[in-house]
Amino acid sequence: MTFLNYLISGISLGSVYAIIALGYTMVYGIAKMLNFAHGDVIMVGAYTVFVAMSSSGLPALPAILLSMVVCTVLGVVIERVAYRPLRGAGSPLAVLITAIGVSYLLQNLALLIFGSNTKSFSTVVPLSPLKLADGRITISGETIVTILASIVIVVGLSLFINRTRPGQAMLAVSEDQGAAKLMGINVNGTIALTFAIGSSLAAIAGVLLCSAYPSLTPYTGSMPGIKAFVAAVFGGIGSIPGAMIGGILLGIIEIFGKAYISSQMADAIVFAVLIVVLLVKPTGILGKPIREKV
Amino acid sequence: MAMLEVKDLNVYYGMIHAIKDVSFEVNEGEIIALIGANGAGKTTILHTISGLIAPKTGHILFENKDLTKIPAHKVVSLGMAQVPEGRRVFSQMSVLQNLKMGAYTRDDKSEIEATLEMVYKRFPRLEERKNQPAGTLSGGEQQMLAMGRALMSHPKIILMDEPSMGLSPILVNEIFDIIRSVNESGTTVLLVEQNAKKALMIADRAYVLETGHIASSGDAKELMNDDSIRKAYLGE
Ligand SMILES: Nc1ncnc2c1ncn2[C@@H]1O[C@H](COP(=O)(O)OP(=O)(O)OP(=O)(O)O)[C@@H](O)[C@H]1O
Ligand SMILES: [Mg+2]
C-alpha cells in the first residue's frame, strides 16, 4: 500500500508541476521565448497569500483571488517592460538573459521585503484527509484539491483555446505572427493575454505548492520552476496536454526516485529520465515533429 | 481619386535600400499587376502596404487614410486583405478555423455565415475539407484556402502575392479565373506575379519593378506588346 501512497503523492506533486508547466508551455508556444522568471512569479503569489492571510487576516479564497490578480499584473508588467522591447529586434538570447535577470530581480526584491527566514505557510485547504482501505491509504485534502485543480485548469484551457476567439487568436499567433497580423489579430495584446493567464496559474500553483510543502522563502519558486520547465519539455513544449502529462510523470518519477532509490539523487534521476526521453523523441512525448516549411 | 495611392515609398532592410522612391496607384474596381524578377521588391511593397514592415519615408493612402500611421492589425478592418506569398495558412488549424480567422475582425455572425457560403461556393473543395488540418492540404488547396481566408474579411481591395507559385498549369488557369471573378464581383485587386504573361492578360494596368524602383508602367495590353518587356518578362 505504500506504493499507492507514493503514487498518489507523485501525482499530487506532478499536478503542481503541470500547472506551472502550462505557463511555460503557453508562453513558449505563443511568444517563442522561455520565461525563466515564471518560477519566481509562483513565489510572489505565495507571499501574497501569506501576507493577506497572516497579516491582513483575509480568508483563504479572497487571498487566493488577490494573489491571482497580483501575479497577473506582475506577468503583464514583466512582459511589457522587459520582454516586449526586445521582441523582433534583439536575438532570442537577449530575451533569455533578460528573463534570467528578471528572475533574480524578483528573488532579490522578495529578500529585501521579507528577509531570508523561512515563513511557515498555513494550508488553504480546510478538508481533512481521506482514508481508504482501512486507513492504509491516506489522501490529504491538499492532494485532492491539487489534482482537481489541475484537471479543471487543463480542461478549461483547452476549451478556451479551441472554442473562443482570443484562444484561436493565440493559436494563430503561435503559428505565424505575420499572418496573424494580416488577419487583424493584435499580436502584442495576444502575447500579453498569454502572460496574464500563465501568471495567474502560477499564483494557483504557488498556493498549492506551499500548502503541501509549507515553507516559504524567496527561492521557493526557483526549483519547482526549473522542474516544471523540464516537465514542459518532457511532454513536448508548446503542447497543453503535454504539459499535463509531463508534469505528472515528473512528479511520479521524483517521488518514486526519492522513495525507492535515493532521496539525494531524486533530482538527478528526474533529469536523467528527461535526457533519455529527449534522445528517443527530441520533441518530447506529445511534441509536434519539426516540419520544414515548403 | 485613387483608392490606394503609394507615394515616394522608400524601404530599407538595415543598410539595404530595397524600395526606392516607388509611387503607384490603384483605382477602385481595377486589377493592377505588379511584375518583376526575383528580389525586385514586390513582397516588400505588399508587406509595407499591410503594415508588416515600416517604410523609411513615403506615404500609403488607402481611401485617404495614411496606412503608415496605422498598426498592421488595424488594416484589415479598413477593407484591405492580403493573400501572402507562400500561402501561410495556419497549418495546425482546420480549414474552417482558418476561414474564421479571416473574419477575425468582423462581429456579425449571420454576415460571416453568408460570406462563408460565398467562399464555399467559389471553392467547393474547401467545404469538402473543412475539418481537415490546413497543413495536410495540397499546395493548390492551400492557395485556395489562403484566398478564401482573405475573402472572409469581405475586403474592398485584396493584395495577392504570387498566387500561381508552384501550381500546375491547369491550377494556374483556375486561380487566374478566380481572381478575375473576384474582381468582377466588386473587389479591387493588386496582383504581384512572376507569371507576367498571365498577370498582364487579366490586369487593367501594370507596373514593372526592377531592383526596387518602377522601371515602366502603363496599360497592361500595351505593356504586353512592348518589345523590351516581352524580352525581359515574357521570355520571347
Ligand atoms: N528580411 C529581410 N532582410 C534583409 N533583406 C531582405 C529581407 N527581405 C527581403 N530582403 C531583400 O529585399 C529585396 C526584395 O525582396 P522581396 O522579397 O521584396 O522580393 P520579391 O520581388 O518579392 O522577390 P520574389 O519574386 O523572389 O518573391 C531582395 O534583395 C531581398 O534579398
Ligand atoms: Mg516575393
Side-chain angles (χ1 to χ4, degrees):
Chain A
M1 284 304 155
T2 48
F3 173 82
L4 273 182
N5 280 321
Y6 288 141
L7 183 66
I8 290 165
S9 59
I11 294 175
S12 174
L13 176 63
S15 300
V16 176
Y17 289 156
I19 297 171
I20 308 170
L22 284 170
Y24 267 111
T25 228
M26 285 179 71
V27 165
Y28 179 83
I30 289 151
K32 301 287 178 283
M33 66 162 289
L34 292 172
N35 176 22
F36 270 115
H38 188 61
D40 303 290
V41 176
I42 296 165
M43 171 273 296
V44 172
Y47 270 111
T48 308
V49 171
F50 175 79
V51 170
M53 285 177 74
S54 64
S55 315
S56 318
L58 231 55
L61 212 54
I64 295 171
L65 289 177
L66 174 72
S67 160
M68 287 172 73
V69 171
V70 168
C71 287
T72 302
V73 171
L74 179 66
V76 172
V77 168
I78 291 173
E79 192 276 326
R80 184 69 190 85
V81 174
Y83 304 152
R84 193 184 297 180
L86 296 172
R87 197 180 304 141
S91 76
L93 275 182
V95 184
L96 187 69
I97 290 165
T98 306
I100 294 171
V102 172
S103 164
Y104 281 115
L105 178 72
L106 292 178
Q107 288 176 16
N108 289 343
L109 280 178
L111 208 52
L112 210 64
I113 299 170
F114 301 104
S116 58
N117 356 357
T118 307
K119 307 266 189 270
S120 66
F121 195 94
S122 50
T123 178
V124 297
V125 179
L127 301 178
S128 51
L130 195 66
K131 290 204 187 300
L132 298 174
D134 301 329
R136 277 174 297 172
I137 301 174
T138 324
I139 308 177
S140 70
E142 286 81 10
T143 296
I144 297 170
V145 170
T146 302
I147 294 173
L148 284 181
S150 71
I151 293 171
V152 169
I153 288 169
V154 168
V155 172
L157 263 186
S158 302
L159 288 176
F160 174 76
I161 286 183
N162 291 314
R163 300 281 170 83
T164 71
R165 216 169 80 106
Q168 292 282 291
M170 283 183 175
L171 270 187
V173 171
S174 79
E175 279 209 45
D176 186 334
Q177 294 194 3
K181 281 183 194 164
L182 291 179
M183 301 300 111
I185 295 167
N186 180 345
V187 170
N188 281 334
T190 303
I191 291 177
L193 176 65
T194 310
F195 271 85
I197 294 174
S199 304
S200 70
L201 295 183
I204 296 174
V207 172
L208 294 172
L209 185 73
C210 289
S211 294
Y213 303 87
S215 63
L216 176 58
T217 74
Y219 310 109
T220 291
S222 178
M223 201 56 197
I226 290 175
K227 286 190 191 150
F229 166 62
V230 171
V233 175
F234 198 39
I237 192 144
S239 156
I240 285 176
M244 181 80 181
I245 292 171
I248 287 176
L249 281 180
L250 204 76
I252 294 173
I253 294 168
E254 182 177 333
I255 297 286
F256 278 178
K258 271 198 182 115
Y260 294 117
I261 304 176
S262 148
S263 60
Q264 282 85 29
M265 291 290 286
D267 289 342
I269 294 165
V270 165
F271 283 88
V273 172
L274 172 80
I275 292 167
V276 171
V277 167
L278 292 185
L279 281 175
V280 177
K281 195 157 187 301
T283 52
I285 298 169
L286 292 187
K288 293 155 197 133
I290 300 157
R291 260 197 319 244
E292 289 295 320
K293 282 246 162 94
V294 190
Chain B
M1 185 65 232
M3 181 186 222
L4 174 68
E5 196 178 348
V6 173
K7 280 204 290 202
D8 305 320
L9 197 67
N10 282 284
V11 183
Y12 285 76
Y13 291 109
M15 300 295 288
I16 304 168
H17 194 174
I19 300 299
K20 300 159 190 154
D21 288 320
V22 163
S23 298
F24 65 92
E25 49 185 58
V26 182
N27 297 308
E28 194 173 346
E30 282 185 314
I31 299 183
I32 296 298
L34 189 58
I35 59 178
N38 285 114
K42 306 178 296 294
T43 300
T44 304
I45 290 179
L46 291 197
H47 280 182
T48 313
I49 295 173
S50 289
L52 297 180
I53 305 175
K56 185 132 197 181
T57 59
H59 296 281
I60 298 164
L61 298 177
F62 177 56
E63 296 188 320
N64 282 326
K65 283 176 283 282
D66 193 343
L67 296 186
T68 59
K69 298 192 168 61
I70 294 174
H73 67 270
K74 296 214 168 123
V75 169
V76 201
S77 41
L78 299 177
M80 175 182 284
Q82 185 175 151
V83 183
E85 182 175 52
R87 294 112 198 197
R88 291 171 75 169
V89 297
F90 301 112
S91 57
Q92 319 274 348
M93 299 169 87
S94 72
V95 168
L96 179 58
Q97 283 176 321
N98 268 273
L99 292 173
K100 292 220 163 126
M101 285 332 285
Y104 182 78
T105 55
R106 298 174 68 189
D107 289 324
D108 191 317
K109 276 224 166 69
S110 62
E111 280 181 26
I112 295 174
E113 270 314 306
T115 315
L116 186 64
E117 284 310 309
M118 185 272 286
V119 168
Y120 280 157
K121 226 162 117 193
R122 220 181 261 295
F123 305 104
R125 201 85 67 83
L126 295 183
E127 185 166 24
E128 287 162 27
R129 289 161 196 268
K130 62 182 171 193
N131 295 319
Q132 193 171 319
T136 62
L137 297 177
S138 74
E141 289 163 349
Q142 288 191 15
Q143 188 60 55
M144 292 176 187
L145 179 56
M147 288 178 136
R149 188 179 64 174
L151 289 173
M152 284 300 291
S153 69
H154 197 65
K156 297 176 199 161
I157 185 169
I158 188 161
L159 320 180
M160 301 192 193
D161 198 341
E162 306 206 27
S164 73
M165 188 170 52
L167 302 184
S168 69
I170 297 175
L171 261 176
V172 170
N173 287 338
E174 201 176 312
I175 291 286
F176 276 96
D177 285 344
I178 290 165
I179 296 171
R180 202 197 307 252
S181 107
V182 164
N183 176 251
E184 274 161 8
S185 60
T187 313
T188 307
V189 175
L190 175 57
L191 174 64
V192 159
E193 259 302 335
Q194 290 222 31
N195 192 334
K197 193 172 193 171
K198 283 257 153 42
L200 290 176
M201 267 161 62
I202 64 165
D204 297 299
R205 294 184 299 115
Y207 293 86
V208 180
L209 202 63
E210 251 168 40
T211 57
H213 69 273
I214 306 263
S216 50
S217 63
D219 184 85
K221 306 286 164 302
E222 281 170 22
L223 284 175
M224 257 207 306
N225 294 323
D226 182 306
D227 277 345
S228 59
I229 303 273
R230 292 178 79 96
K231 247 199 206 114
Y233 299 101
L234 305 180
E236 290 175 17

